[in-house]
């Protein structure tokens, strides 16, 4: 439950930051549909990044990154 809360908070903070940056560079205010699309894009990116990093750490811990012909391995 705590991970989900952190995930949502990161998405909300990133969405607000990108929205302010968009307005600051002269892009104009975002409407409701723009904010929804931006939120889905940010949450999708954060989710994909989290999943891929978890897989990379799991692979490293379980030895999937080692060479199959490693002579030092017993």
């Amino acid at each position: 439950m705590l991970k989900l809360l952190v995930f949502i908070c990161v998405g909300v903070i990133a969405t607000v930051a990108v929205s302010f940056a968009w307005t600051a560079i002269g892009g104009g205010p975002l409407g409701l549909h723009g904010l929804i699309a931006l939120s889905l894009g940010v949450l999708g990116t954060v989710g994909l990044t989290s999943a891929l990093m978890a897989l990379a750490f799991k692979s490293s811990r379980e030895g999937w990154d080692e060479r199959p012909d490693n002579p030092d391995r017993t």
Side-chain angles (χ1 to χ4, degrees):
M1 188 66 160
L2 182 61
K3 288 183 183 182
L4 180 63
L5 181 63
V6 169
F7 182 71
I8 291 173
C9 286
V10 167
V12 167
I13 291 169
T15 301
V16 170
V18 171
S19 179
F20 282 139
W22 177 256
T23 305
I25 63 170
L30 290 175
L32 177 63
H33 291 102
L35 288 174
I36 291 171
L38 180 63
S39 299
L40 290 175
V42 166
L43 289 175
T45 302
V46 170
L48 183 61
T49 302
S50 300
L52 291 175
M53 288 302 296
L55 287 173
F57 286 125
K58 179 177 171 41
S59 171
S60 177
R61 270 186 257 127
E62 293 181 359
W64 288 93
D65 296 336
E66 296 180 14
R67 294 174 53 115
D69 60 346
N70 189 356
D72 296 333
R73 188 173 181 197
T74 58

